[in-house]
Amino acid sequence: MTTTDTTGALVAAAPARGGAEPAALGWLSCARGQFLLSWRVFWRNRRSTFIGFLLPVLLNLVVAAPLRTKEIAGVNAAGYTTVGFIGLALVTSFINLLNGVVARRDDLVLKRLRGTEVPATAIFAGQIGAGGAVVLLQVLVLGGVSVGWFGTPLPADPLLFLLVLAGGYLLFAVLAVALSGVTPSAEAAPMVATPVLLVCMFGSGVVAPLASMPGWLQTPAHVLPLAPVVESLRTAWFGRGFGHESWSGAPLAELDLLHGWLHAAPSLLMIAAWVAAAAVLGRRLFRWEPRRG
């Protein structure tokens, strides 16, 4: 095994059969154990730390910083781009989750855990929860840079922002579990993950408005999984109706909280549809054991 220490610790975290611990407390204990182990493994792996945490932060500094004196749709262009990179952080978390699930499957960790009392939902809740904690840390770093350096205001609707962030993270987490079923090995995981990263980064409005793309690409781009997330994150942060802005367009009108939610509703429904589709795909494709042949 290439991850003997992690494998042994994960299996050791499973409760013995026949315990008298209440089901709910047992589930929480299992999920907590998976969370702590996944958290430690993430920060010990330099590759996962770079891709999953540093990459969006560094890219944002390179791309957004030169835009801090410009505006787009009435808001600071650097802050506009920073919110896009918060959305991209969800995709880099997808890459690490995909790598992690495939590696644990190939090392037979998942198979061993399935033979214990650890619920399947607790196995993934812990791993996905650790990835979510990393994303929240990235939001604090990117948001702090945006507010403290670029002069961006605080989010206009924090509740909507957190809801969209949670929905977007769930979407890419479930998608990672689903696509692990068609990923033959941990070595092949980048071949599956990299196209997703590139398409989402350059086709979902992370760096530039979708209106700057050729007309025939704009409609497909709007239905990519990250596009409604980025659009709604910007609406929640700046309190304006983003989605069809352009570099040379007039400033967007400010929205109150109610109209902000109404504007974000179609994007929220699209995110929910993507989550449902990824869940169905996961049920069909996910494997507990390594792929053969």
Side-chain angles (χ1 to χ4, degrees):
M1 298 265 178
T2 58
T3 56
T4 305
D5 57 334
T6 304
T7 302
L10 281 167
V11 176
R17 291 184 179 272
E21 190 176 21
L25 293 178
W27 188 95
L28 289 174
S29 177
C30 291
R32 178 179 178 276
Q34 299 301 309
F35 174 93
L36 293 175
L37 287 163
S38 297
W39 179 262
R40 289 198 293 267
V41 169
F42 174 84
W43 293 109
R44 288 176 181 175
N45 187 310
R46 294 181 180 179
R47 179 183 174 187
S48 67
T49 302
F50 176 77
I51 295 176
F53 181 76
L54 290 176
L55 184 60
V57 175
L58 295 176
L59 285 175
N60 181 66
L61 292 177
V62 172
V63 177
L67 301 174
R68 60 186 183 276
T69 59
K70 302 178 186 270
E71 282 196 356
I72 178 170
V75 303
N76 180 272
Y80 174 92
T81 303
T82 298
V83 177
F85 278 106
I86 288 176
L88 187 68
L90 303 178
V91 186
T92 57
S93 71
F94 155 84
I95 295 175
N96 277 307
L97 282 171
L98 177 63
N99 287 332
V101 172
V102 173
R104 293 182 182 189
R105 181 198 67 196
D106 289 354
D107 285 343
L108 302 180
V109 175
L110 296 182
K111 181 179 179 180
R112 294 182 182 183
L113 283 173
R114 198 184 187 194
T116 69
E117 287 291 331
V118 179
T121 52
I123 296 172
F124 292 109
Q127 189 167 2
I128 290 172
V134 173
V135 170
L136 287 177
L137 186 58
Q138 287 174 303
V139 171
L140 292 176
V141 173
L142 289 168
V145 169
S146 184
V147 174
W149 185 17
F150 303 153
T152 306
L154 293 171
D157 190 339
L159 180 59
L160 178 59
F161 183 85
L162 290 175
L163 176 64
V164 175
L165 189 71
Y169 179 71
L170 180 62
L171 189 170
F172 283 100
V174 176
L175 188 62
V177 175
L179 293 184
S180 71
V182 297
T183 305
S185 65
E187 291 75 16
M191 297 176 61
V192 176
T194 301
V196 176
L197 173 66
L198 294 177
V199 169
C200 287
M201 181 174 179
F202 295 106
S204 299
V206 170
V207 177
L210 294 181
S212 63
M213 301 176 64
W216 61 276
L217 279 177
Q218 291 182 26
T219 299
H222 276 287
V223 297
L224 289 174
L226 186 61
V229 177
V230 170
E231 175 185 322
S232 297
L233 286 176
R234 285 175 174 146
T235 295
W237 191 291
F238 296 104
R240 298 172 187 256
F242 288 96
H244 299 282
E245 68 279 2
S246 65
W247 286 109
S248 58
L252 296 172
E254 295 186 9
L255 303 175
D256 57 29
L257 293 181
L258 175 60
H259 286 89
W261 280 82
L262 290 175
H263 180 82
S267 293
L268 292 173
L269 290 175
M270 189 178 299
I271 294 170
W274 269 108
V275 171
V280 171
L281 194 64
R283 288 183 64 87
R284 295 179 62 88
L285 298 178
F286 178 73
R287 297 168 180 265
W288 288 94
E289 300 183 23
R291 292 174 59 89
R292 306 296 182 187

